[in-house]
Amino acid sequence: GAVVSQHPSRVICKSGTSVKIECRSLDFQATTMFWYRQFPKQSLMLMATSNEGSKATYEQGVEKDKFLINHASLTLSTLTVTSAHPEDSSFYICSARGAGYLYNEQFFGPGTRLTVL
Amino acid sequence: GENVEQHPSTLSVQEGDSAVIKCTYSDSASNYFPWYKQELGKGPQLIIDIRSNVGEKKDQRIAVTLNKTAKHFSLHITETQPEDSAVYFCAARVSGNTPLVFGKGTRLSVIA
């Protein structure tokens, strides 16, 4: 149980285009979802926290107009990288937290590798 | 806010030996301490966690210890195998409403 999926797993796009990444909790309802980015050989850096039906809370230094987060349902959150540039190339990982006995644990998706040419 | 330090950054052990990774945290209110294993190109996988009301927890070859007074916790892997090679992250959280704060990771290499 407690599986989180991400789609796509890899994406290559041209500079200036927008890319949408989906994160789904497959067998539980995710009351909160987190989006992280990870550069090579570095730790996970939290970008934003989103609760279902609410606006996302962004970490300091993360542009909310560039990284659009939508958490429209208890099983789906999306991250859209708008007007992507090469410096946005990174590994993006979502994480979901449920309710009840799943409240304390965070379950991670497999990640999406974004390459901007 | 919470700050988590993790050591060492890299660790090489011979197959069959034990590996120990240590983390310290700054916020005494933190009460949840998970450990994640991340293989190349994949997302982190929870391998074990401990809560502040417990001093030690074990799951087969993996154990975690917590010293609340010193604000540090450690991951112990015994009888290491090549498939244990990965990056390991510790994390800490103050409450269920706050996100996890991660250490910088330890790259473990188990040499056959």
Side-chain angles (χ1 to χ4, degrees):
Chain A
V3 177
V4 177
S5 70
Q6 269 184 254
H7 178 79
S9 58
R10 289 178 175 270
V11 57
I12 301 173
C13 69
K14 293 181 179 180
S15 184
T17 60
S18 294
V19 174
K20 180 185 283 189
I21 302 170
E22 290 187 351
C23 176
R24 294 181 184 273
S25 57
L26 298 185
D27 50 3
F28 69 101
Q29 293 184 326
T31 53
T32 305
M33 285 190 172
F34 307 90
W35 285 95
Y36 296 82
R37 65 188 298 180
Q38 185 179 35
F39 292 108
K41 298 186 178 181
Q42 294 191 21
S43 189
L44 291 81
M45 299 302 298
L46 180 66
M47 299 175 66
T49 301
S50 73
N51 294 296
E52 184 263 339
S54 304
K55 289 185 178 180
T57 301
Y58 290 81
E59 295 298 301
Q60 191 172 9
V62 178
E63 300 177 54
K64 63 179 181 180
D65 294 330
K66 181 170 184 61
F67 299 100
L68 302 178
I69 292 173
N70 184 287
H71 191 168
S73 77
L74 286 172
T75 59
L76 174 65
S77 176
T78 59
L79 168 68
T80 301
V81 184
T82 62
S83 187
H85 292 285
E87 55 266 30
D88 298 324
S89 298
S90 187
F91 194 50
Y92 291 86
I93 309 172
C94 72
S95 176
R97 186 175 67 207
Y101 77 98
L102 294 177
Y103 183 65
N104 274 320
E105 297 183 23
Q106 272 184 236
F107 302 94
F108 284 82
T112 296
R113 183 159 304 282
L114 170 64
T115 303
V116 185
L117 302 177
Chain B
E2 176 65 278
N3 182 51
V4 177
E5 299 285 339
Q6 183 171 347
H7 298 280
S9 56
T10 60
L11 178 61
S12 291
V13 299
Q14 291 289 329
E15 181 179 2
D17 288 350
S18 295
V20 180
I21 303 170
K22 298 182 179 181
C23 288
T24 61
Y25 60 99
S26 61
D27 194 332
S28 57
S30 288
N31 58 16
Y32 178 62
F33 309 92
W35 285 89
Y36 290 87
K37 175 183 180 182
Q38 186 178 28
E39 297 176 336
L40 189 63
K42 297 182 179 180
Q45 294 294 310
L46 177 70
I47 57 172
I48 196 168
D49 58 11
I50 192 167
R51 288 170 172 73
S52 58
N53 59 345
V54 176
E56 183 174 359
K57 184 177 179 180
K58 189 174 182 179
D59 182 4
Q60 299 182 352
R61 296 187 296 109
I62 296 172
V64 57
T65 59
L66 171 65
N67 183 325
K68 288 183 353 183
T69 302
K71 289 189 285 187
H72 68 69
F73 56 113
S74 300
L75 177 71
H76 305 252
I77 305 174
T78 58
E79 301 173 28
T80 54
Q81 301 166 2
E83 50 266 37
D84 294 330
S85 297
V87 179
Y88 291 81
F89 291 98
C90 64
R93 185 173 66 210
V94 172
S95 72
N97 287 329
T98 60
L100 291 168
V101 177
F102 284 87
K104 292 187 181 299
T106 296
R107 183 171 299 277
L108 173 64
S109 298
V110 180
I111 304 166

